[in-house]
Amino acid sequence: MKHAVIIKGTTYGIVVVLDPGIPFEELKTEIGTKFKESSRFFGNAQMALSFEGRPLTIEQQAEILDVITENTDLSIVCIIEDNPERDERLKKTIDEKLMELNHATGQFYKGNLRSGQVLETETSIIVIGDVNPGASIVSKGNIVILGSLKGTAFAGASGNENAFVLALDMAPVQIRIADTIARAPDKPAKEDAKEAKVAFLEDGNIYIEPLGRKAINDLRL
């Protein structure tokens, strides 16, 4: 029982190291004793609290906080937990949200892409120029081409199925959105008048439609 509870003070908080082997009720008694002995040292400071040594439920944490409050004048402002698995989930969620923001904001590229050139970007992109045959553009977000698309465009490279490709003159060799690929026919149809079109993914297929009001309203950023 001598080392069932160890209190370590840091600059901004308190770390309480708990013995994993004793019953919780006994542990609470020892916590009360330790904090009562240290109450003069801590005074009425505002501190963060973290636990080490054994897992605790939310209810157990609340009971320990009550014990600390009863035996000291401390004000515990927050509990800091060491949970690598949860931290990784939080990191993934934050990264995804940041990526969504990048998809919506994007960047510009001015100039024509010639055969053999590849333009890759982590965000959505607006190209002021043409993407010529043999050139490729790859984006984790959306692709907007203020010119002709006659090369290859890969939008949603991170798996974003809501991504789209828009061009003022849509005549690509290949369009890919997420994991779905659409290729130009071997014998292209008679060339139509140039008009802005948008390519999007729906029900596992890539569709290319004129850029009308309905198509604009259906785009998902």
Side-chain angles (χ1 to χ4, degrees):
M1 182 67 72
K2 181 180 178 182
H3 299 295
V5 176
I6 299 174
I7 301 174
K8 298 190 292 187
T10 68
T11 304
Y12 300 106
I14 301 169
V15 179
V16 183
V17 184
L18 304 173
D19 188 323
I22 69 171
F24 181 69
E25 291 302 318
E26 293 182 27
L27 192 66
K28 282 200 304 179
T29 300
E30 183 67 10
I31 290 171
T33 301
K34 287 284 186 180
F35 272 91
K36 189 170 185 178
E37 292 172 352
S38 307
S39 60
R40 228 181 217 186
F41 173 77
F42 290 120
N44 59 355
Q46 294 183 325
M47 309 285 273
L49 180 68
S50 64
F51 299 107
E52 293 181 2
R54 67 187 284 166
L56 297 169
T57 65
I58 294 176
E59 291 77 12
Q60 288 175 332
Q61 291 180 15
E63 290 183 43
I64 291 175
L65 284 179
D66 288 341
V67 170
I68 294 173
T69 301
E70 290 169 4
N71 289 279
T72 69
D73 294 322
L74 276 171
S75 175
I76 304 299
V77 295
C78 65
I79 295 176
I80 301 172
E81 296 184 68
D82 182 17
N83 190 326
E85 183 179 343
R86 186 191 57 196
D87 290 346
E88 182 61 30
R89 291 199 303 269
L90 289 173
K91 178 181 181 299
K92 182 180 178 182
T93 301
I94 291 169
D95 288 344
E96 288 173 352
K97 293 302 179 184
L98 288 174
M99 187 58 67
E100 288 177 10
L101 179 61
N102 286 337
H103 291 162
T105 54
Q107 58 179 296
F108 288 87
Y109 176 88
K110 184 177 181 180
N112 298 323
L113 293 178
R114 297 183 296 275
S115 179
Q117 288 187 298
V118 178
L119 176 62
E120 297 187 52
T121 174
E122 296 286 321
T123 68
S124 296
I125 187 164
I126 298 173
V127 177
I128 305 173
D130 298 331
V131 180
N132 291 312
S136 300
I137 180 168
V138 181
S139 168
K140 289 186 178 180
N142 307 307
I143 297 173
V144 176
I145 299 168
L146 302 181
S148 297
L149 171 57
K150 296 182 178 179
T152 299
F154 181 8
S158 62
N160 178 18
E161 296 184 348
N162 291 329
F164 60 84
V165 179
L166 187 155
L168 298 184
D169 178 19
M170 182 79 78
V173 171
Q174 182 188 101
I175 283 182
R176 179 174 175 180
I177 299 176
D179 295 325
T180 302
I181 299 174
R183 295 182 174 86
D186 295 333
K187 294 182 178 180
K190 184 178 178 180
E191 187 173 343
D192 298 325
K194 294 179 181 179
E195 65 175 329
K197 293 182 179 179
V198 61
F200 57 92
L201 183 62
E202 187 174 291
D203 298 328
N205 296 304
I206 292 177
Y207 297 91
I208 299 177
E209 294 183 356
L211 188 65
R213 183 181 297 275
K214 182 179 183 304
I216 292 174
N217 289 337
D218 288 342
L219 296 180
R220 290 165 291 182
L221 297 177

